[in-house]
């Protein structure tokens, strides 16, 4: 869960939590991320926080967003 009182911004905490889910294999390559609404409800954060976290995941190269189709986990780069 995200820590509302942490000095780390909520969106960074959320991106880190989703990253761990990707790395553990819970969120599989080429499969969609849960919806923004689902992530909001699951982590108790605002829509803007979810969108900022997804943008950070895109910058990290962990997800790709396809307009009108959703956001998907990228394929593993094999550098693990």
């Amino acid at each position: 869960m995200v820590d509302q009182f942490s000095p780390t911004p909520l969106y960074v905490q959320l991106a880190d939590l989703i990253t761990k889910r990707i790395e553990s294999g819970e969120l599989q390559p080429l499969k969609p991320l849960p919806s923004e609404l689902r992530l909001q409800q699951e982590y108790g954060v605002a829509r803007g926080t979810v969108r900022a976290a997804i943008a950070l995941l895109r910058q990290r190269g962990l997800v790709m967003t396809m307009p009108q189709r959703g956001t998907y986990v990228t394929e593993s780069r094999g550098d693990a």
Side-chain angles (χ1 to χ4, degrees):
M1 285 271 105
V2 294
D3 179 358
Q4 301 285 340
F5 300 105
S6 171
T8 303
L10 293 177
Y11 78 95
V12 174
Q13 292 182 53
L14 181 57
D16 290 344
L17 289 168
I18 295 170
T19 296
K20 287 178 186 172
R21 291 174 68 180
I22 292 169
E23 290 172 348
S24 75
E26 181 183 344
L27 296 173
Q28 305 256 330
L30 303 179
K31 299 291 183 185
L33 283 185
S35 69
E36 286 182 1
L37 180 59
R38 173 113 187 241
L39 291 170
Q40 282 179 254
Q41 293 170 341
E42 186 174 341
Y43 292 101
V45 296
R47 176 181 287 160
T49 301
V50 171
R51 289 183 175 178
I54 291 171
L56 182 55
L57 291 170
R58 269 196 306 271
Q59 288 176 356
R60 293 177 178 175
L62 296 172
V63 301
M64 59 185 170
T65 300
M66 299 168 45
Q68 300 180 1
R69 299 185 82 195
T71 300
Y72 294 79
V73 177
T74 57
E75 287 189 80
S76 169
R77 286 178 243 112
D79 55 355

